[in-house]
Amino acid sequence: MSTTILGIESSCDDTSAAVISDGLLRSNVIASQKVHEQFGGVVPELASRAHQQNILPVVSEALRQAGISGSDLDAIAFTRGPGLLGSLLVGTSFAKGMAIGLDIPTVDVNHLHGHVLSHFIKESEEQKIPEFPFICLLISGGNSQIILVRSPFDMEILGSTIDDAAGEAFDKCAKVMGLPYPGGPYIDRLAAEGDPEAFKFAKPHIQGLDYSFSGLKTSFLYTIRDNMKIDPDFVENRKADLAASLQKTIIEILIDKLSKAVRQTGVKAVAIGGGVSANSGVRAAIQDFCDRRGLKAWIPKRSFTTDNAAMVAMAGYFKYLKGDFCRLDMPPYSKVEV
Protein backbone atom coordinates (compact mmCIF):
# COMPACT_ATOMS: atom_id res chain seq x y z
CA MET A 1 0.00 0.00 0.00
CA SER A 2 1.48 3.35 -1.02
CA THR A 3 2.14 6.30 1.28
CA THR A 4 1.11 9.67 -0.15
CA ILE A 5 2.29 12.93 1.39
CA LEU A 6 1.21 16.49 0.62
CA GLY A 7 4.02 18.99 1.24
CA ILE A 8 3.46 22.70 1.90
CA GLU A 9 6.24 25.31 1.78
CA SER A 10 5.75 28.95 2.85
CA SER A 11 8.98 29.94 4.61
CA CYS A 12 9.70 33.10 2.61
CA ASP A 13 8.24 34.46 -0.62
CA ASP A 14 7.31 31.32 -2.57
CA THR A 15 4.06 29.46 -1.93
CA SER A 16 4.45 25.84 -2.94
CA ALA A 17 2.62 22.53 -2.65
CA ALA A 18 3.72 19.09 -3.83
CA VAL A 19 2.60 15.48 -3.70
CA ILE A 20 4.95 12.53 -3.22
CA SER A 21 3.93 8.86 -3.18
CA ASP A 22 6.52 6.40 -1.84
CA GLY A 23 9.28 8.88 -2.66
CA LEU A 24 8.09 9.42 -6.25
CA LEU A 25 7.16 12.99 -7.17
CA ARG A 26 3.66 13.39 -8.59
CA SER A 27 3.34 17.19 -8.60
CA ASN A 28 5.23 20.31 -7.53
CA VAL A 29 3.51 23.70 -7.87
CA ILE A 30 5.18 27.00 -7.00
CA ALA A 31 3.69 30.51 -6.95
CA SER A 32 6.41 33.17 -6.79
CA GLN A 33 5.80 36.68 -5.49
CA LYS A 34 6.79 39.56 -7.78
CA VAL A 35 5.62 42.23 -5.35
CA HIS A 36 9.03 42.42 -3.60
CA GLU A 37 11.08 43.38 -6.66
CA GLN A 38 10.38 47.11 -6.34
CA PHE A 39 11.69 47.10 -2.75
CA GLY A 40 14.97 45.29 -3.48
CA GLY A 41 14.17 42.53 -0.97
CA VAL A 42 11.40 40.55 0.66
CA VAL A 43 8.87 42.58 2.67
CA PRO A 44 7.57 40.19 5.38
CA GLU A 45 4.05 41.63 5.65
CA LEU A 46 3.54 41.57 1.88
CA ALA A 47 4.86 38.01 1.76
CA SER A 48 2.35 36.87 4.38
CA ARG A 49 -0.57 38.44 2.52
CA ALA A 50 0.52 36.87 -0.76
CA HIS A 51 0.73 33.45 0.89
CA GLN A 52 -2.84 33.82 2.11
CA GLN A 53 -3.98 34.54 -1.43
CA ASN A 54 -1.93 31.78 -3.05
CA ILE A 55 -2.06 28.80 -0.73
CA LEU A 56 -5.51 27.45 -1.51
CA PRO A 57 -5.19 27.54 -5.34
CA VAL A 58 -1.62 26.18 -5.13
CA VAL A 59 -2.64 23.21 -2.97
CA SER A 60 -5.67 22.56 -5.18
CA GLU A 61 -3.50 22.56 -8.30
CA ALA A 62 -0.94 20.22 -6.73
CA LEU A 63 -3.68 17.71 -5.91
CA ARG A 64 -5.18 18.07 -9.39
CA GLN A 65 -1.84 17.49 -11.13
CA ALA A 66 -1.21 14.45 -8.94
CA GLY A 67 -4.62 13.09 -9.88
CA ILE A 68 -5.78 12.64 -6.29
CA SER A 69 -8.10 14.19 -3.73
CA GLY A 70 -7.55 15.03 -0.10
CA SER A 71 -9.00 11.68 0.96
CA ASP A 72 -6.05 9.92 -0.72
CA LEU A 73 -3.49 11.61 1.54
CA ASP A 74 -1.80 9.82 4.45
CA ALA A 75 -0.28 12.97 5.98
CA ILE A 76 0.49 16.63 5.37
CA ALA A 77 4.06 17.83 5.73
CA PHE A 78 4.76 21.53 6.19
CA THR A 79 7.72 23.82 6.80
CA ARG A 80 7.68 24.79 10.48
CA GLY A 81 10.90 26.81 10.28
CA PRO A 82 13.21 28.54 9.91
CA GLY A 83 11.87 31.45 7.89
CA LEU A 84 9.68 34.53 8.08
CA LEU A 85 7.30 33.98 10.98
CA GLY A 86 4.26 35.52 9.30
CA SER A 87 4.79 33.43 6.17
CA LEU A 88 5.31 30.27 8.20
CA LEU A 89 2.11 30.90 10.13
CA VAL A 90 0.10 30.79 6.90
CA GLY A 91 1.47 27.42 5.83
CA THR A 92 1.41 25.95 9.33
CA SER A 93 -2.18 27.00 9.98
CA PHE A 94 -3.39 25.78 6.61
CA ALA A 95 -1.67 22.40 6.98
CA LYS A 96 -3.08 21.82 10.47
CA GLY A 97 -6.59 22.88 9.48
CA MET A 98 -6.60 20.65 6.42
CA ALA A 99 -5.21 17.72 8.43
CA ILE A 100 -7.93 18.13 11.07
CA GLY A 101 -10.59 18.16 8.36
CA LEU A 102 -9.18 14.98 6.77
CA ASP A 103 -8.37 13.32 10.11
CA ILE A 104 -4.76 12.62 9.14
CA PRO A 105 -1.48 13.48 10.89
CA THR A 106 0.82 16.40 10.17
CA VAL A 107 4.60 16.23 9.87
CA ASP A 108 6.71 19.29 10.60
CA VAL A 109 9.82 19.83 8.48
CA ASN A 110 12.94 21.87 9.05
CA HIS A 111 13.39 23.92 5.87
CA LEU A 112 17.14 23.30 5.81
CA HIS A 113 16.68 19.54 6.18
CA GLY A 114 14.37 19.75 3.18
CA HIS A 115 17.14 21.25 1.04
CA VAL A 116 19.51 18.48 2.10
CA LEU A 117 16.99 15.72 1.37
CA SER A 118 15.93 17.18 -1.97
CA HIS A 119 18.43 14.76 -3.54
CA PHE A 120 16.10 11.89 -2.63
CA ILE A 121 13.18 13.22 -4.70
CA LYS A 122 12.62 10.70 -7.47
CA GLU A 123 10.90 11.54 -10.75
CA SER A 124 11.25 7.96 -12.00
CA GLU A 125 11.73 4.57 -10.40
CA GLU A 126 15.13 4.20 -12.09
CA GLN A 127 16.55 7.46 -10.71
CA LYS A 128 19.55 7.01 -8.42
CA ILE A 129 19.74 8.64 -5.00
CA PRO A 130 22.70 9.28 -2.66
CA GLU A 131 24.12 6.71 -0.29
CA PHE A 132 25.02 7.69 3.26
CA PRO A 133 27.18 9.26 4.48
CA PHE A 134 27.80 12.33 2.33
CA ILE A 135 28.63 15.98 2.81
CA CYS A 136 26.08 18.58 1.78
CA LEU A 137 27.14 22.14 1.04
CA LEU A 138 23.96 24.06 1.82
CA ILE A 139 24.15 27.53 0.28
CA SER A 140 21.26 29.97 0.12
CA GLY A 141 20.31 33.56 0.83
CA GLY A 142 20.21 32.97 4.55
CA ASN A 143 22.49 30.02 5.17
CA SER A 144 25.91 28.71 4.24
CA GLN A 145 26.58 25.40 5.96
CA ILE A 146 28.70 22.29 5.57
CA ILE A 147 26.66 19.34 6.82
CA LEU A 148 27.74 15.75 7.37
CA VAL A 149 24.67 13.67 6.49
CA ARG A 150 24.72 10.19 8.05
CA SER A 151 20.99 9.50 7.61
CA PRO A 152 17.75 11.47 7.08
CA PHE A 153 17.66 11.94 10.85
CA ASP A 154 21.37 12.29 11.63
CA MET A 155 22.90 15.51 10.28
CA GLU A 156 25.88 17.26 11.85
CA ILE A 157 26.70 20.87 10.99
CA LEU A 158 30.48 21.01 10.57
CA GLY A 159 30.64 24.69 9.66
CA SER A 160 28.34 27.62 9.01
CA THR A 161 28.52 31.33 8.26
CA ILE A 162 29.35 33.68 11.10
CA ASP A 163 27.84 36.67 9.27
CA ASP A 164 26.49 36.95 5.73
CA ALA A 165 25.60 33.86 3.70
CA ALA A 166 26.80 33.28 0.14
CA GLY A 167 23.41 34.23 -1.28
CA GLU A 168 23.40 37.48 0.70
CA ALA A 169 26.82 38.33 -0.70
CA PHE A 170 25.54 37.84 -4.24
CA ASP A 171 22.33 39.82 -3.66
CA LYS A 172 23.87 42.70 -1.70
CA CYS A 173 26.71 43.18 -4.17
CA ALA A 174 24.23 43.02 -7.04
CA LYS A 175 22.19 45.76 -5.36
CA VAL A 176 25.29 47.99 -5.19
CA MET A 177 25.66 47.45 -8.93
CA GLY A 178 22.07 48.56 -9.49
CA LEU A 179 20.85 45.11 -10.54
CA PRO A 180 17.24 43.98 -9.85
CA TYR A 181 16.26 41.75 -6.94
CA PRO A 182 17.06 38.94 -6.50
CA GLY A 183 20.52 39.76 -7.77
CA GLY A 184 22.12 36.32 -7.72
CA PRO A 185 20.75 35.14 -11.08
CA TYR A 186 21.79 38.43 -12.73
CA ILE A 187 25.33 38.05 -11.38
CA ASP A 188 25.39 34.51 -12.76
CA ARG A 189 24.40 35.62 -16.25
CA LEU A 190 26.80 38.58 -16.29
CA ALA A 191 29.68 36.46 -15.01
CA ALA A 192 29.59 34.36 -18.16
CA GLU A 193 30.54 37.47 -20.17
CA GLY A 194 33.25 38.87 -17.87
CA ASP A 195 36.87 38.30 -16.87
CA PRO A 196 37.07 36.52 -13.50
CA GLU A 197 40.65 37.76 -13.03
CA ALA A 198 39.77 41.44 -13.54
CA PHE A 199 39.47 42.27 -9.82
CA LYS A 200 40.78 40.83 -6.57
CA PHE A 201 38.50 40.91 -3.55
CA ALA A 202 39.25 40.15 0.07
CA LYS A 203 38.95 36.58 1.31
CA PRO A 204 38.31 35.72 4.97
CA HIS A 205 40.76 33.89 7.21
CA ILE A 206 38.39 32.07 9.54
CA GLN A 207 39.67 29.03 11.38
CA GLY A 208 37.84 25.73 11.19
CA LEU A 209 35.04 25.15 8.71
CA ASP A 210 32.99 28.30 9.32
CA TYR A 211 32.32 30.81 6.56
CA SER A 212 32.37 34.60 6.41
CA PHE A 213 31.32 36.79 3.50
CA SER A 214 31.04 40.24 5.11
CA GLY A 215 34.66 41.14 4.30
CA LEU A 216 34.18 40.21 0.67
CA LYS A 217 31.09 42.39 0.51
CA THR A 218 32.98 45.34 2.00
CA SER A 219 35.92 44.83 -0.35
CA PHE A 220 33.54 44.80 -3.31
CA LEU A 221 31.91 48.02 -2.13
CA TYR A 222 35.26 49.79 -1.70
CA THR A 223 36.41 48.69 -5.16
CA ILE A 224 33.34 50.29 -6.72
CA ARG A 225 33.60 53.43 -4.58
CA ASP A 226 37.28 54.01 -5.35
CA ASN A 227 36.95 53.41 -9.08
CA MET A 228 33.86 55.60 -9.41
CA LYS A 229 35.90 58.55 -8.13
CA ILE A 230 37.92 58.22 -11.32
CA ASP A 231 35.20 57.02 -13.67
CA PRO A 232 31.54 57.75 -12.77
CA ASP A 233 30.47 55.13 -15.32
CA PHE A 234 32.75 52.47 -13.87
CA VAL A 235 29.99 50.07 -12.78
CA GLU A 236 28.13 50.28 -16.05
CA ASN A 237 31.32 49.78 -18.06
CA ARG A 238 32.66 46.90 -15.96
CA LYS A 239 29.53 45.06 -14.81
CA ALA A 240 30.46 41.76 -16.39
CA ASP A 241 34.03 41.82 -15.00
CA LEU A 242 32.77 42.74 -11.53
CA ALA A 243 30.24 39.90 -11.62
CA ALA A 244 32.76 37.36 -12.87
CA SER A 245 35.36 38.32 -10.26
CA LEU A 246 32.77 38.29 -7.47
CA GLN A 247 31.46 34.88 -8.47
CA LYS A 248 34.97 33.45 -8.70
CA THR A 249 35.86 34.71 -5.23
CA ILE A 250 32.70 33.32 -3.61
CA ILE A 251 33.26 29.95 -5.24
CA GLU A 252 36.88 29.86 -4.02
CA ILE A 253 35.74 30.61 -0.46
CA LEU A 254 33.13 27.84 -0.63
CA ILE A 255 35.48 25.25 -2.13
CA ASP A 256 38.30 25.98 0.33
CA LYS A 257 36.25 24.98 3.38
CA LEU A 258 34.52 22.15 1.53
CA SER A 259 37.92 20.67 0.67
CA LYS A 260 38.94 20.75 4.34
CA ALA A 261 35.67 19.05 5.35
CA VAL A 262 36.19 16.24 2.82
CA ARG A 263 39.72 15.62 4.12
CA GLN A 264 38.55 15.59 7.73
CA THR A 265 35.62 13.24 7.21
CA GLY A 266 36.89 11.01 4.43
CA VAL A 267 33.48 10.93 2.73
CA LYS A 268 33.20 9.82 -0.87
CA ALA A 269 30.28 11.98 -2.01
CA VAL A 270 29.41 15.69 -2.00
CA ALA A 271 25.97 17.22 -2.52
CA ILE A 272 24.89 20.84 -2.85
CA GLY A 273 21.54 22.41 -2.02
CA GLY A 274 19.80 25.75 -1.56
CA GLY A 275 19.19 28.65 -3.90
CA VAL A 276 22.86 29.37 -4.65
CA SER A 277 23.30 25.79 -5.88
CA ALA A 278 21.44 26.95 -9.00
CA ASN A 279 24.42 29.18 -9.87
CA SER A 280 26.15 27.92 -13.03
CA GLY A 281 29.64 28.67 -11.74
CA VAL A 282 29.01 26.92 -8.43
CA ARG A 283 27.60 23.82 -10.14
CA ALA A 284 30.55 23.58 -12.51
CA ALA A 285 33.06 24.15 -9.70
CA ILE A 286 31.53 21.42 -7.50
CA GLN A 287 31.51 18.94 -10.36
CA ASP A 288 35.15 19.74 -11.16
CA PHE A 289 36.12 19.52 -7.47
CA CYS A 290 34.58 16.06 -7.19
CA ASP A 291 35.95 14.82 -10.52
CA ARG A 292 39.51 15.76 -9.52
CA ARG A 293 39.21 13.89 -6.20
CA GLY A 294 37.28 10.85 -7.36
CA LEU A 295 34.16 11.85 -5.44
CA LYS A 296 30.52 11.42 -6.43
CA ALA A 297 28.85 14.79 -7.02
CA TRP A 298 25.13 15.19 -6.36
CA ILE A 299 23.87 18.33 -8.06
CA PRO A 300 20.09 18.92 -7.88
CA LYS A 301 17.79 20.01 -10.66
CA ARG A 302 17.41 23.76 -10.58
CA SER A 303 13.71 23.38 -9.82
CA PHE A 304 14.67 21.73 -6.52
CA THR A 305 17.24 24.36 -5.48
CA THR A 306 14.80 27.15 -4.69
CA ASP A 307 12.13 26.98 -1.98
CA ASN A 308 9.79 24.20 -3.09
CA ALA A 309 7.32 21.83 -1.49
CA ALA A 310 8.75 18.72 -3.16
CA MET A 311 11.67 18.77 -0.73
CA VAL A 312 9.25 19.35 2.18
CA ALA A 313 7.14 16.38 1.12
CA MET A 314 10.29 14.26 0.77
CA ALA A 315 11.55 15.14 4.24
CA GLY A 316 8.05 14.61 5.58
CA TYR A 317 7.89 11.17 3.95
CA PHE A 318 10.99 10.04 5.88
CA LYS A 319 9.53 11.34 9.15
CA TYR A 320 6.16 9.73 8.43
CA LEU A 321 7.78 6.32 7.97
CA LYS A 322 9.48 6.81 11.32
CA GLY A 323 6.18 7.76 12.96
CA ASP A 324 7.48 11.19 13.90
CA PHE A 325 4.35 13.34 13.77
CA CYS A 326 3.69 16.95 14.77
CA ARG A 327 1.44 17.95 17.63
CA LEU A 328 -1.19 20.52 16.75
CA ASP A 329 0.07 22.88 19.47
CA MET A 330 3.60 23.12 18.00
CA PRO A 331 4.12 26.69 16.62
CA PRO A 332 6.39 27.73 13.76
CA TYR A 333 9.85 29.08 14.53
CA SER A 334 11.77 31.80 12.70
CA LYS A 335 15.33 30.78 13.55
CA VAL A 336 17.26 27.54 13.31
CA GLU A 337 16.56 25.17 16.17
CA VAL A 338 19.63 23.44 17.59
Side-chain angles (χ1 to χ4, degrees), residues 7-17 29-36 42-60 79 82-95 111 307-309 312:
I8 294 175
E9 157 62 21
S10 68
S11 63
C12 190
D13 61 338
D14 286 329
T15 312
S16 182
V29 178
I30 302 174
S32 298
Q33 301 175 4
K34 299 292 185 182
V35 67
H36 307 285
V42 177
V43 181
E45 178 62 26
L46 295 180
S48 302
R49 293 179 184 180
H51 282 303
Q52 290 178 317
Q53 295 172 344
N54 294 335
I55 193 163
L56 181 57
V58 165
V59 169
S60 297
T79 301
L84 299 175
L85 194 56
S87 295
L88 291 166
L89 278 168
V90 176
T92 298
S93 301
F94 187 93
H111 179 80
D307 295 345
N308 66 92
V312 176

Side-chain angles (χ1 to χ4, degrees), residues 16-285:
S16 182
V19 175
I20 279 182
S21 294
D22 294 335
L24 194 65
L25 184 65
R26 299 179 64 176
S27 66
N28 187 34
V29 178
I30 302 174
S32 298
Q33 301 175 4
K34 299 292 185 182
V35 67
H36 307 285
E37 293 180 357
Q38 59 183 307
F39 301 103
V42 177
V43 181
E45 178 62 26
L46 295 180
S48 302
R49 293 179 184 180
H51 282 303
Q52 290 178 317
Q53 295 172 344
N54 294 335
I55 193 163
L56 181 57
V58 165
V59 169
S60 297
E61 180 62 16
L63 293 175
R64 188 195 68 79
Q65 289 186 16
I68 63 171
S69 64
S71 60
D72 298 310
L73 297 173
D74 293 288
I76 300 175
F78 65 94
T79 301
R80 192 162 75 90
L84 299 175
L85 194 56
S87 295
L88 291 166
L89 278 168
V90 176
T92 298
S93 301
F94 187 93
K96 290 179 179 179
M98 185 174 180
I100 291 172
L102 295 172
D103 194 25
I104 57 176
T106 58
V107 182
D108 64 309
V109 171
N110 181 303
H111 179 80
L112 305 183
H113 290 177
H115 276 302
V116 174
L117 297 175
S118 65
H119 295 277
F120 292 86
I121 301 169
K122 297 179 70 174
E123 296 182 282
S124 68
E125 294 289 354
E126 299 75 26
Q127 184 177 329
K128 294 182 179 180
I129 55 177
E131 295 182 357
F132 300 106
F134 62 90
I135 278 182
C136 182
L137 177 61
L138 178 58
I139 37 180
S140 66
N143 297 277
S144 292
Q145 298 179 336
I146 299 176
I147 303 171
L148 176 59
V149 186
R150 300 186 183 93
S151 82
F153 313 105
D154 185 358
M155 302 183 192
E156 179 184 355
I157 298 176
L158 304 179
S160 60
T161 182
I162 62 174
D163 43 57
D164 286 347
E168 287 177 302
F170 273 122
D171 287 341
K172 291 178 179 179
C173 290
K175 188 173 183 179
V176 172
M177 294 170 63
L179 299 176
Y181 174 85
Y186 291 92
I187 293 289
D188 191 15
R189 289 193 288 270
L190 282 169
E193 306 169 5
D195 177 8
E197 305 296 334
F199 301 99
K200 302 295 181 183
F201 302 120
K203 296 180 183 178
H205 297 283
I206 308 297
Q207 295 202 354
L209 298 177
D210 286 338
Y211 285 112
S212 171
F213 291 95
S214 63
L216 165 63
K217 182 185 66 177
T218 302
S219 175
F220 186 87
L221 178 62
Y222 284 168
T223 296
I224 289 180
R225 183 199 64 181
D226 293 343
N227 280 278
M228 287 189 69
K229 292 178 181 178
I230 303 170
D231 177 13
D233 297 322
F234 168 75
V235 173
E236 187 61 34
N237 294 334
R238 304 296 300 274
K239 271 186 179 179
D241 290 341
L242 284 165
S245 299
L246 173 68
Q247 182 164 288
K248 175 177 180 290
T249 306
I250 291 177
I251 289 172
E252 289 174 345
I253 294 171
L254 292 171
I255 294 293
D256 176 63
K257 295 301 178 79
L258 178 62
S259 178
K260 292 178 181 178
V262 169
R263 291 198 302 270
Q264 289 179 18
T265 60
V267 298
K268 301 301 181 183
V270 171
I272 55 174
V276 179
S277 65
N279 179 280
S280 301
V282 170
R283 295 167 78 89

